[in-house]
Amino acid sequence: MADRTLPGRITYEHYRHFPDDGMRYEILDGVLYMAPTPSPRHQYASKNLRRSLEDYFEADGDYVVFNAPLDVILADADVVQPDLVVAARAQISDRGVEGTPLLLVEILSPSSIPLDRQAKAARYRVHAVPHYWIVDPAARTLECLRLVGDAYVLEASGSEDEHVAVPAFEGLTITLTSLWLR
């Protein structure tokens, strides 16, 4: 029987040998995390936000919008699978998205709140991800965070049926009512 123990610090090299077992694995600063399957409410928000992001970012052909599961390899010991990612075409490889993308979106699930709001946000700051958005389907909120210096600041937000205009992306407005499964 093969040895299935993991070293203390996980890297992409270890990660790429994990079985394709349908689980969603991520590495944050060398620590392995596993996420449960998203709920229908989560998937609905992801699907509809993706459509808005595709309409905006893919129009000129420079950027591509992906949804999970897709590896975003920020560094050897930081491999994440955000719910949505906006990356430059030049960053796309056979392995996934290489380096720091323009925008990462996490859609909260009850079990992922501390991970998304704290651990992932911290690693995204370290890797200077310029834009980090958090969608909370239970609270029906969107927070658009922008990296300023070494901290994320709230650039735009909204709840329920509001329209959120994102100052960093001229002309991008997210209609929140389209994100919530009723």
Side-chain angles (χ1 to χ4, degrees):
M1 182 172 195
D3 180 10
R4 293 187 180 253
T5 59
L6 295 173
R9 185 168 168 83
I10 307 298
T11 66
Y12 182 79
E13 185 60 27
H14 302 113
Y15 174 86
R16 72 182 194 89
H17 294 290
F18 286 4
D20 186 9
D21 60 5
M23 302 306 290
R24 191 166 155 188
Y25 297 102
E26 299 179 288
I27 307 169
L28 298 173
D29 198 21
V31 177
L32 182 65
Y33 293 84
M34 184 182 75
T37 302
S39 70
R41 189 186 318 197
H42 178 284
Q43 292 295 76
Y44 190 84
S46 179
K47 173 183 73 163
N48 289 321
L49 181 55
R50 179 182 176 180
R51 287 179 182 151
S52 294
L53 296 177
E54 285 173 337
D55 289 347
Y56 184 84
F57 286 104
E58 293 186 355
D60 65 6
D62 293 337
Y63 290 94
V64 180
V65 178
F66 292 103
N67 60 295
L70 176 76
D71 291 337
V72 176
I73 306 162
L74 298 170
D76 195 44
D78 282 301
V79 182
V80 295
Q81 290 191 12
D83 293 297
L84 295 166
V85 58
V86 177
R89 285 191 181 276
Q91 293 182 276
I92 301 165
S93 75
D94 288 340
R95 299 186 330 162
V97 173
E98 306 269 353
T100 301
L102 176 66
L103 167 64
L104 294 176
V105 178
E106 295 292 354
I107 300 172
L108 300 180
S109 295
S111 64
S112 75
I113 293 170
L115 181 65
D116 291 338
R117 287 197 175 277
Q118 296 163 9
K120 283 186 168 184
R123 298 315 297 165
Y124 295 168
R125 277 193 306 272
V126 166
H127 293 288
V129 174
H131 301 276
Y132 176 41
W133 293 5
I134 299 172
V135 177
D136 186 339
R140 296 184 177 194
T141 60
L142 168 65
E143 300 169 55
C144 303
L145 305 169
R146 184 177 190 171
L147 190 64
V148 177
D150 63 355
Y152 281 112
V153 297
L154 186 63
E155 178 179 49
S157 66
S159 64
E160 294 294 336
D161 60 354
E162 295 178 335
H163 300 273
V164 177
V166 185
F169 305 117
E170 185 179 340
L172 176 60
T173 299
I174 307 297
T175 302
L176 296 186
T177 193
S178 72
L179 304 184
W180 319 134
L181 183 61
R182 307 234 180 232

